[in-house]
Amino acid sequence: MTVAKVHQVLAAGPTLSFEFWPPRDEQRFSRVLEELAALRPHFVSVTYGAAGSTRERTHDLVTDLRAASLLPVAHVCCAAHRRDELVGLLHRYRHDGIENILALRGDPPLSAGGALPEGDLRYAVELVELVRAVGDFSVGVAAHPEGHPDCDGDLEVDLDHAAAKLYAADYAITQFFFRVEDYLRLVEGLSARGVDKPVVPGIMPIDRIGQVSRMAEMSGATLPPELAARLDAAAHDADEVRRIGIDVATELAQKLQAEDVPGLHFYTMNRSASVLAVCANLGLAPGRRA
Ligand code: FAD
């Protein structure tokens, strides 16, 4: 692999990328990975349990993906961590040849009842600075097309924070969303603040109704009423729900491509079927390289 930094890959043209989480069922995951790796993603990212709950499993999957000749991005969350713990984790990634970090604050798992113990760093922007200080990483950050839930609807203040964070980082990947206007408003708001770095839209093909409502509640993403109604009407038919999810994600991806987005990042939920179907609809055949 010659290019090893995500911001360099983004500079070369539109990317296709996937998010995974450290799997519990390794056998099933290896099948999913094999199917999605056939699409030759430009990079793949691996989530991190905010309080460090997946620290080892995230590290192991990131290094396994690198060994499989994929370009991995390790998510790192500063919430509930001491500075020295984060420095140790970043040094370990450097030592293992990992050059891409997604610097996040982190969300408490639902089991933590919505709270995490305080850490040394409060916001993700402070983690971006720490990552820069530790080594020559390419650093991505999260962006929130509908505003982060903590901003209590004050989108302008949220955009100020997002702009300061992206200014310090190399690129952003967005939370999933369903309306292209939300993405465009975010990018325009950042640009108006002088920040024009790549913002890769995150797309989550809906797979199951329970899953999407849970994820939307956590992330603050709005399920448009007409989509909610379509899903409600199909609630008894899992195949139809999946078909709707594929249609909606395909249409969103096509609209985004028409806006010349820097790439498409799929929240795979460690499943392959819907992502493969959307990519096939977009003409992204296995074995292709853009
Ligand atoms: P921040 O950038 O710190 O923002 C959080 C809130 O603080 C925002 O409301 C912001 O406006 C506000 N804020 C920021 N700076 C300031 C400031 N200086 N003063 C006052 N307020 C400020 N979660 C996980 O636990 N593990 C993961 O692996 C993970 N991966 C993700 C990947 C992507 C692509 C995305 C989009 C999200 C991911 N998340 C993950 C979720 C993320 O951790 C949550 O959305 C979290 O609540 C916020 O993270 P952040 O990095 O955007 O935080």
Side-chain angles (χ1 to χ4, degrees), residues 47-48 75 104-107 123-124 144 148 158 161 165 267:
T47 64
Y48 182 88
H75 295 203
L104 302 147
R105 185 190 72 183
D107 267 340
Y123 299 112
H144 305 274
H148 184 270
D158 197 51
H161 296 145
K165 180 170 70 170
Y267 290 99

Side-chain angles (χ1 to χ4, degrees), residues 177-188:
F177 58 95
F178 297 102
R179 296 174 303 218
V180 76
E181 333 50 288
D182 291 323
Y183 170 84
L184 296 177
R185 186 201 56 81
L186 167 70
V187 172
E188 279 158 22

Side-chain angles (χ1 to χ4, degrees), residues 54-190:
T54 68
R55 186 184 321 220
E56 286 307 312
R57 292 193 298 126
T58 297
H59 177 272
D60 291 351
L61 179 56
V62 167
T63 50
D64 286 353
L65 291 170
R66 180 174 186 269
S69 297
L70 292 160
L71 180 58
V73 176
H75 295 203
V76 175
C77 300
C78 60
H81 282 64
R82 294 191 317 271
R83 181 180 294 266
D84 63 306
E85 284 178 299
L86 294 165
V87 169
L89 195 151
L90 292 165
H91 275 305
R92 190 173 171 207
Y93 277 130
R94 282 300 302 169
H95 176 266
D96 292 334
I98 303 304
E99 299 188 62
N100 295 286
I101 299 293
L102 193 69
L104 302 147
R105 185 190 72 183
D107 267 340
L110 290 175
S111 56
L116 282 174
E118 256 186 51
D120 285 346
L121 312 187
R122 184 148 183 212
Y123 299 112
V125 67
E126 297 164 57
L127 180 59
V128 176
E129 284 157 19
L130 184 66
V131 176
R132 295 276 193 225
V134 168
D136 180 22
F137 291 100
S138 181
V139 191
V141 290
H144 305 274
E146 297 179 62
H148 184 270
D150 289 359
C151 77
D152 291 330
D154 193 339
L155 297 181
E156 293 303 314
V157 171
D158 197 51
L159 269 170
D160 291 343
H161 296 145
K165 180 170 70 170
L166 185 52
Y167 180 77
D170 295 309
Y171 65 96
I173 301 178
T174 78
Q175 190 53 272
F176 71 87
F177 58 95
F178 297 102
R179 296 174 303 218
V180 76
E181 333 50 288
D182 291 323
Y183 170 84
L184 296 177
R185 186 201 56 81
L186 167 70
V187 172
E188 279 158 22
L190 292 168

